[in-house]
Amino acid sequence: MRVTEAGASDAPAPGPAPSGPPRPIVLVAHGSPDPRSPEAVRAIARAAGADAGFLEFNEPHPVEVLRGIADTGVAAAVALPLLLTDAYHSRTDLPEVAKRAEEARPGLAVALARPVGDLSLARALVRDLPYGIDGLVVCAAGTRVDEGRAHVADVAAEAGRLLGVPAGPGFASGPGPKPGETVERLKAEGAQRIAAVCYFIAPGILCDTAIESARAAGVVHTGEPLGAAPELLDLIAERAAEA
């Protein structure tokens, strides 16, 4: 959207922008060899009224999805990374997806949305925890991007604030503490009934790795990935609208 300034001080105030048909949304997921993951992504897409594309392992590729949308006569679409941190895939792969789709279908404009990671998802993580939890580890995939790990730490802090318990992040891969290490730290600080929750969009290998690390350290409860949580669906709509 281009914003212009009125040239004269007495120009009439602009009215509301005209509302055209909603732009199709393509959720861009990483993909996984674990069949549970694409199944969950497709369920999220159905709930969000969107299409799904996968960068690796699964089909269709998001470029293929965008080409198909353009072939129906649609001139504008949104590519929205179904990712929780702003790291390599959102910074590198997503712009490449948009570029390839626009080159393949001249006249198609692909807007890029932000990843769906947000502090509001902390509420979904703690919603179904059992009574008596006194410590929390928020399990995540992991990233070499410092801002990505800081975001997970912020989500963990927000989840702990909602519960009123100490909390910290745990990463399945890359730098930063493993979930089991965070559990041990919480125990050393006095927590006895620690839960592990999954800051993952969908189940998969890394999610299983993180949960196993937490279980080996003695957590009393493990949560599920976000799936089609209402908070995630709200964020998809918000990110698409602002793209």
Side-chain angles (χ1 to χ4, degrees):
M1 181 186 300
R2 294 184 179 180
V3 180
T4 59
E5 293 182 355
S9 60
D10 59 351
S19 59
R23 295 170 295 175
I25 302 168
V26 178
L27 302 182
V28 180
H30 180 270
S32 171
D34 187 323
R36 297 173 299 167
S37 180
E39 180 181 347
V41 169
R42 293 183 182 110
I44 293 168
R46 288 192 297 271
D51 293 298
F54 303 90
L55 295 169
E56 297 182 61
F57 301 110
N58 312 117
E59 295 180 347
H61 193 276
V63 173
E64 179 184 343
V65 178
L66 288 163
R67 288 200 307 255
I69 288 172
D71 289 344
T72 68
V74 172
V78 177
L80 192 155
L82 198 61
L83 304 167
L84 294 172
T85 58
D86 185 15
Y88 180 83
H89 294 296
S90 60
R91 297 181 180 187
T92 302
D93 287 334
L94 196 67
E96 181 65 19
V97 163
K99 177 183 176 184
R100 288 174 55 191
E102 290 174 343
E103 289 176 346
R105 297 295 186 270
L108 174 66
V110 181
L112 302 182
R114 292 189 293 135
V116 293
D118 192 85
L119 294 186
S120 65
L121 295 174
R123 191 167 297 278
L125 294 177
V126 303
R127 179 178 294 122
D128 296 322
L129 289 180
Y131 177 77
I133 294 299
D134 60 5
L136 187 69
V137 55
V138 173
C139 300
T143 174
R144 293 183 177 87
V145 177
D146 293 343
E147 295 90 341
R149 296 194 307 279
H151 167 71
V152 177
D154 288 343
V155 172
E158 175 65 8
R161 185 191 68 79
L162 291 171
L163 281 181
V165 303
F171 301 98
S173 64
K178 298 296 183 282
E181 292 171 346
T182 299
V183 172
E184 294 296 345
R185 175 178 65 79
L186 292 170
K187 284 183 175 180
E189 295 172 358
Q192 296 179 335
R193 290 180 50 81
I194 302 169
V197 293
C198 297
Y199 194 51
F200 287 83
I201 295 289
I205 296 170
L206 286 177
C207 183
D208 288 349
T209 298
I211 287 298
E212 285 306 314
S213 174
R215 282 178 174 155
V219 295
V220 299
H221 173 84
T222 56
E224 298 293 332
L226 291 161
E231 293 85 356
L232 180 61
L233 298 180
D234 287 345
L235 283 167
I236 289 171
E238 291 175 16
R239 296 289 195 261
E242 71 186 20

